[in-house]
Amino acid sequence: MRKYELIRSEISTMHNRSNFKGILSSILTLPSRPAAVFIKIDLPEYEVLRAQVFLEDLSERLEDDSQLTIIDLIALLLKDFLHVCSTTTKMESLKDSLQEKKAHFLSKTERVEEYVEVAPGHTSLRIRDKPRRIRYYSLELTIPRRTALRLEIILYDLEQLFKSFQMGIDELVSIVFLEFVHHLKNGKQKDMIKRFIQCFG
């Protein structure tokens, strides 16, 4: 999906509607828009597996045969992200947080410290970036158009307010998912399961 494609599409539709007399005629004559958009993201294999194990644990606790999928989980996480953005988050804080998480979760390199011999019997600490050795799993998502449009508008607003900010929907979705898995790995699985049980139990 091209950057800000949904915003351009919505604005174009608004202009087309203004050329008709009345809302009813515009509904009858304009072509229908797809109800969902497709996004492909590449996620580290282990992180996807970690989330899958969480969902299996959750299913056992709920004693439910129907199990949430990774795609269901991402939909819930995006809903929560949009709720937080619309109620409590300041734009500058959101910008700083997303940039920090992008550098942490989406970087293709990692910093390593190593001692190198600079002279016989003398070593020096050197910091360098090396490519991360990660295998990726490609996930194809279907996101409701309304949700994707809201995400796009948030990213567009951030880009207009802060010229250094650049992020696509695919990156944002990846960050939201990877942050969740990060919390799981840091020992918050029980809290997460409790929260989900309150929602679905």
Side-chain angles (χ1 to χ4, degrees), residues 79-157:
K79 184 177 178 182
D80 187 56
F81 172 81
L82 287 170
H83 174 72
V84 170
C85 285
S86 65
T87 54
T88 58
T89 307
K90 293 180 179 176
M91 293 303 273
E92 187 164 5
S93 300
L94 180 60
K95 181 263 297 181
D96 292 340
S97 174
L98 287 176
Q99 284 182 324
E100 182 183 318
K101 289 169 187 171
K102 180 178 179 179
H104 179 70
F105 293 124
L106 303 186
S107 174
K108 300 293 183 187
T109 61
E110 60 183 340
R111 296 211 137 177
V112 291
E113 295 180 354
E114 58 188 8
Y115 285 95
V116 292
E117 190 171 8
V118 291
H122 295 285
T123 58
S124 175
L125 180 64
R126 184 179 69 171
I127 299 172
R128 68 181 178 90
D129 291 332
K130 74 168 189 176
R132 279 178 145 172
R133 298 179 69 183
I134 299 175
R135 293 171 61 101
Y136 288 92
Y137 177 81
S138 290
L139 193 64
E140 293 185 357
L141 303 174
T142 304
I143 298 179
R145 184 184 180 87
R146 183 165 177 242
T147 300
L149 179 62
R150 290 177 69 196
L151 295 172
E152 222 177 59
I153 287 172
I154 288 170
L155 294 176
Y156 182 81
D157 287 346

